[in-house]
Amino acid sequence: MRFARVQFMLPLPEPFDYAIPEGLHVEPGQVVRAPLGPTDRMGVVWDIGEEPDGERELKELFSTYPSPGLSQPFRDFISWSARYTCANPGAVLRMVLRSPSSLVPSKTELVVLPGQAEQPGRLTPARQRVLEFVEQAMPMTQAELAREVGVSTSVVKGLIDLGCLQTDLRQVDPPYRLPDPEREGFELTDEQASAADHLKGKVRNGGFSVSLIDGVTGSGKTEVYFEAIAEALRQDEHSQVLILLPEIALTQAIMKRFENRFGAQPTEWHSGLSDAERRRAWREVAHGRARIVVGARSALFLPFPNLRLAIVDEEHDGSYKQEDGVVYHARNLCIARGRFEGFATVLASATPALESLSNARAGRFDYLRLAARPGASRLPDVDLIDMRQHAPDKGDWLSPVLTRELAGTLANGEQSLLFLNRRGYAPLVLCKACGEKLKTPGTENWLTEHRYTGRLVCHLTGFSMRRPDACPKCGARDSLMGVGPGIERVAEEVRRKLPEARLELLSSDTVQSGDDIRALIMRMEQGEIDILIGTQMIAKGHNFPGLTLVGVVDADASLKGGDLRAGERTFQLLSQVAGRAGRAEKLGRALLQTYDPEAPLMQALAHTDRDSFLDCEEEMRMVMGMPPHGRLAALILSFPDEMEAARLGREIGMAAPNAEGVEVWGPAPAPIAVLRGRWRWRFLVRSDLGVDLSAYMAAWRKTLKLPAQARLQIDVDPYSFL
Ligand code: ADP
């Protein structure tokens, strides 16, 4: 007897077995419905087994969906990802499968088009309006047409009956327009051409490979991988390409570049899509008809049947790490998928992650360097402003040097960008009367003052309250003051010093939707803004032709967190920000305000000497056995009671298995010690490279018997240490 092993999108330990009813054709990988408990659910046939005697009483599958199944290598990738991230396979599958509506063909609807017949005998004004409108409008339904023109549907129906209009069946979710690989790109420089040739070769040969394009901002990394995309599209008429971008970089500007290059908009995939767009994209990908997909990290789990090439742009970017649910790093999993499905993977960055660079230097990845910026554009000069010598006036945050440069840039009719990675007005609110620091109730987290909204907000927990008139502790009135700078405060200072400048703020508080961001970016591109002040949202991907000055208000800020990657991350962020300046013909300049100009990181930035900085970092990691010279995983316990959380933490620590080459540190209170009423304890586990750390973590978790209210999260390759 043949039976199907069905994996559900539920936290079940393994697939369930089902009998295959007579007459139902079932293939491995197919999406099916099967009875489970009191209802029936969607799942995937993980494989099909054969039982000689068929003695077991198995429930029968209900039905299959008419969508292409998930291939064996893709299913293997899903199983592997679950194992690697210590997640449940059902949880990973939930990231793959979407609503049932994407598994059935698109609905169709009747639309109205101009008809064959001549004008009707009796041409009423209403009829005339309809006929004129239809000549120029996109096809639409009768009801839509009647509404648009402002006539009753009977007028439209009458014209159809007369043959002056005709109807046609149209898909509600039509396929995407197909890209054309033969359109000409730029004429590449020698350096670009040789990188492009290398990638084209990898695509043509087929099979798994990883290449790292390490190229300064503006060196044409995008143009180079466009060539690889064109080559992949030429391979056969169904080949598909995936481009992953950090969520924030999915702007219309990059979509436009794709459209210009390939003559059709690529398929988009990110959190801002409507359900209908999602359904359409998923279905078209699954059928192999969406050929270029540009998406945020979750696009990695789309069911491509024929992926030939995947590109991870800005591969060092922190937003590739998903921290909730299945905790994964999209760059790392993309490489893994490439290995299972046998496609070429390309990582691109101006500031590659130490891990990637180390892999490239060791020859595990192909290493392509782009050192030059084509055309007139040059990397900006980076200068440090020693804040001990050029102290700002009392209560200000911009040194006289930076202020002068801003004024000069404005006078030249050029644009400036000020970067400060702190949202709101002030990161701390203090009572002048009693010294109380306002915190989120029950935690040690400071509240940030937001003048824009008049609220105090905790950026870690999301807690927020109206700014009180009196100190909650001592009751003194008008005694609260904001301490330290946020971008709203810097904006206030700029407004005071340069009142004539057209100033805008960009942070997640000041712009809510993707459309708002796009509108603001567009205005900056078109020179309608003189000074843009923003958080890291402005660091990435945008190309502002008129921007010649970048000012970093507090270059030391992100070093203060002090985790493993603080130095690397600061370097990446600041060189990205600096790289915004001077992308067109005009020369750019970046000024970094720092209290520690001698620090190796600041020196490396000032001398654009990335490699010696990274050598230093890498040596340190090697000595400490840290990634990429060792492995890390974290285990986070949270529990709603403080004492019990501490006790459970100790108990979990005692249960850590002994293993060669593994060190367990903790339990320690997490830096965010209380989150949404739960006390948090952390373990950090380091192992040598040869150790299967995922297996170690899973084995540890298995030994634990915890109360139902306890939550455990395992984070393999942690990036956040909060
Ligand atoms: P990166 O991705 O490395 O930051 P881009 O591919 O975005 O660089 O290129 C930066 C700018 O230079 C873009 O406007 C691009 O169109 C232009 N550019 C890149 N290569 C060439 C070339 N060979 N000829 C002309 N313009 C180019």
Side-chain angles (χ1 to χ4, degrees):
M1 183 199 70
R2 286 172 84 230
F3 67 95
R5 307 185 65 227
V6 177
Q7 175 72 55
F8 292 99
M9 296 179 286
L10 295 169
L12 301 167
E14 50 195 38
F16 280 24
D17 296 349
Y18 289 90
I20 300 172
E22 195 101 2
L24 189 70
H25 180 77
V26 179
E27 298 271 345
Q30 204 156 14
V31 187
V32 294
R33 286 200 85 81
L36 189 74
T39 124
D40 61 297
R41 288 180 182 272
M42 193 158 97
V44 172
V45 176
W46 224 241
D47 42 48
I48 289 185
E50 203 72 57
E51 224 167 39
D53 41 13
E55 267 178 10
R56 277 190 301 166
E57 271 292 325
L58 291 179
K59 286 187 181 165
E60 288 192 340
L61 290 181
F62 274 149
S63 57
T64 58
Y65 281 95
S67 183
L70 311 183
S71 71
Q72 175 84 52
F74 187 36
R75 294 193 319 273
D76 291 345
F77 164 69
I78 294 169
S79 303
W80 180 90
S81 300
R83 208 189 136 280
Y84 185 79
T85 59
C86 297
N88 207 283
V92 180
L93 188 60
R94 200 162 43 222
M95 301 196 294
V96 172
L97 285 189
R98 294 281 153 175
S99 62
S101 59
S102 49
L103 295 161
V104 294
S106 169
K107 289 203 177 94
T108 52
E109 61 188 3
L110 269 183
V111 290
V112 183
L113 307 169
Q116 308 293 335
E118 291 296 308
Q119 285 202 344
R122 200 168 60 82
L123 186 62
T124 62
R127 284 179 165 180
Q128 185 165 4
R129 286 212 309 279
V130 171
L131 290 174
E132 282 170 5
F133 186 84
V134 163
E135 281 299 331
Q136 352 204 335
M138 302 279 285
M140 55 181 78
T141 64
Q142 293 183 32
E144 283 164 351
L145 178 58
R147 198 170 44 232
E148 284 290 327
V149 185
V151 299
S152 75
T153 47
S154 60
V155 177
V156 178
K157 283 206 180 77
L159 287 168
I160 294 171
D161 292 342
L162 290 168
C164 303
L165 293 176
Q166 57 181 334
T167 57
D168 192 17
L169 210 53
R170 182 187 70 168
Q171 290 187 341
V172 175
D173 308 328
Y176 298 97
R177 282 178 49 209
L178 290 176
D180 173 6
E182 303 309 337
R183 289 164 68 104
E184 291 276 313
F186 283 105
E187 187 159 337
L188 297 184
T189 62
D190 289 349
E191 188 184 55
Q192 291 173 336
S194 92
D197 285 344
H198 178 92
L199 297 181
K200 283 177 356 196
K202 291 287 165 191
V203 169
R204 256 197 315 274
N205 293 343
F208 172 63
S209 62
V210 189
S211 308
L212 172 66
I213 314 180
D214 174 2
V216 297
T217 315
S219 59
K221 295 183 290 295
T222 315
E223 299 300 329
V224 167
Y225 71 63
F226 276 174
E227 293 299 312
I229 295 172
E231 190 66 21
L233 296 177
R234 281 184 208 115
Q235 292 308 298
D236 66 73
E237 56 183 331
H238 303 295
S239 52
Q240 293 173 296
V241 179
L242 167 66
I243 299 97
L244 292 179
L245 292 176
E247 177 103 21
I248 209 75
L250 287 168
T251 56
Q252 278 328 100
I254 184 80
M255 293 301 158
K256 199 81 211 148
R257 274 182 83 176
F258 273 91
E259 187 173 356
N260 291 341
R261 180 65 172 78
F262 297 105
Q265 278 254 355
T267 303
E268 279 182 69
W269 185 267
H270 52 79
S271 57
L273 295 185
S274 69
D275 283 346
E277 288 164 325
R278 220 167 252 284
R279 174 183 71 206
R280 177 181 177 207
W282 198 96
R283 184 191 297 116
E284 294 305 305
V285 169
H287 285 267
R289 295 184 296 245
R291 301 198 58 205
I292 304 183
V293 177
V294 179
R297 62 176 183 239
S298 59
L300 176 66
F301 291 98
L302 285 169
F304 297 93
N306 198 13
L307 205 52
R308 287 299 179 93
L309 171 67
I311 290 155
V312 186
D313 201 353
E314 313 278 6
E315 63 91 30
H316 64 278
D317 195 279
S319 69
Y320 284 124
K321 184 74 198 269
Q322 166 148 312
E323 303 282 0
D324 302 322
V326 180
V327 181
Y328 69 91
H329 197 293
R331 178 230 301 135
N332 299 351
L333 289 201
C334 185
I335 295 171
R337 187 168 177 180
R339 195 175 302 122
F340 279 100
E341 297 183 23
F343 57 76
T345 309
V346 177
L347 315 180
S349 173
T351 51
L354 197 55
E355 280 91 339
S356 304
L357 210 55
S358 169
N359 277 320
R361 286 174 170 173
R364 286 184 289 271
F365 298 169
D366 296 334
Y367 192 27
L368 308 170
R369 271 200 104 144
L370 300 178
R373 282 181 153 190
S377 84
R378 255 186 54 190
L379 274 181
D381 291 327
V382 179
D383 291 313
L384 303 176
I385 301 177
D386 185 343
M387 295 297 272
R388 296 165 307 187
Q389 282 177 23
H390 304 283
D393 293 341
K394 192 166 181 322
D396 281 358
W397 305 95
L398 304 178
S399 61
V401 186
L402 185 51
T403 307
R404 207 167 46 236
E405 290 292 328
L406 283 170
T409 308
L410 183 65
N412 285 343
E414 295 170 358
Q415 292 173 297
S416 306
L417 189 149
L418 280 180
F419 172 76
L420 176 65
N421 212 4
R422 248 192 243 122
R423 293 157 50 197
Y425 184 83
L428 166 66
V429 181
L430 191 80
C431 171
K432 280 184 286 193
C434 70
E436 171 76 356
K437 295 174 180 137
L438 270 61
K439 294 173 187 158
T440 307
T443 77
E444 291 299 310
N445 307 334
W446 291 350
L447 290 171
T448 295
E449 177 178 5
H450 286 246
R451 289 257 164 115
Y452 211 74
T453 53
R455 299 187 75 79
L456 306 185
V457 181
C458 173
H459 292 168
L460 296 171
T461 58
F463 170 84
S464 103
M465 62 190 271
R466 210 179 51 76
R467 188 186 198 280
D469 299 324
C471 169
K473 177 120 180 272
C474 72
R477 299 194 70 79
D478 299 324
S479 68
L480 296 178
M481 70 174 183
V483 181
I487 61 165
E488 293 177 12
R489 189 171 219 165
V490 171
E492 193 178 86
E493 184 180 335
V494 174
R495 264 189 212 108
R496 178 161 41 79
K497 290 177 165 170
L498 300 169
E500 68 281 21
R502 292 167 302 170
L503 182 75
E504 288 289 349
L505 266 73
L506 179 57
S507 84
S508 54
D509 304 304
T510 56
V511 286
Q512 306 294 339
S513 71
D515 285 346
D516 290 351
I517 299 176
R518 283 193 270 273
L520 196 67
I521 299 287
M522 182 103 80
R523 286 176 48 216
M524 184 72 183
E525 280 169 2
Q526 293 172 349
E528 292 168 21
I529 298 170
D530 297 314
I531 303 179
L532 182 63
I533 304 184
T535 59
Q536 63 184 7
M537 287 179 88
I538 57 174
K540 295 166 195 169
H542 312 300
N543 197 351
F544 303 126
L547 178 69
T548 55
L549 177 68
V550 167
V552 175
V553 178
D554 183 358
D556 311 323
S558 63
L559 273 172
K560 287 170 190 151
D563 70 56
L564 174 69
R565 295 186 182 83
E568 185 190 344
R569 216 170 25 229
T570 303
F571 188 90
Q572 286 162 347
L573 188 60
L574 296 187
S575 39
Q576 292 258 312
V577 174
R580 295 301 118 214
R583 293 203 76 183
E585 288 70 35
K586 294 178 193 142
L587 189 62
R589 188 161 179 225
L591 295 174
L592 274 47
Q593 298 196 139
T594 172
Y595 285 91
D596 193 7
E598 286 87 33
L601 185 142
M602 295 299 155
Q603 288 296 318
L605 283 163
H607 299 113
T608 17
D609 184 6
R610 189 195 69 189
D611 288 357
S612 63
F613 168 72
L614 287 178
D615 287 344
C616 242
E617 282 284 304
E618 177 150 20
E619 194 170 314
M620 202 173 70
R621 303 254 191 108
M622 197 178 310
V623 171
M624 300 192 308
M626 287 290 179
H629 299 281
R631 294 178 190 280
L632 275 187
L635 186 140
I636 302 115
L637 162 78
S638 73
F639 196 80
D641 176 78
E642 185 174 5
M643 299 295 280
E644 184 62 5
R647 195 191 64 73
L648 285 172
R650 286 193 299 274
E651 194 177 300
I652 293 172
M654 312 270 247
N658 277 325
E660 176 112 359
V662 178
E663 296 163 66
V664 177
W665 299 315
I672 305 179
V674 195
L675 187 61
R676 292 183 206 99
R678 303 176 68 87
W679 271 262
R680 302 169 75 243
W681 289 81
R682 285 186 65 104
F683 292 86
L684 193 60
V685 185
R686 193 210 70 82
S687 82
D688 297 341
L689 281 180
V691 174
D692 183 347
L693 192 54
S694 301
Y696 176 89
M697 299 303 286
W700 185 6
R701 181 172 57 189
K702 216 164 174 182
T703 63
L704 303 173
K705 300 244 172 337
L706 298 176
Q709 284 171 304
R711 259 185 242 144
L712 269 193
Q713 192 191 39
I714 294 178
D715 182 354
V716 178
D717 307 330
Y719 276 66
S720 160
F721 294 81
L722 299 174

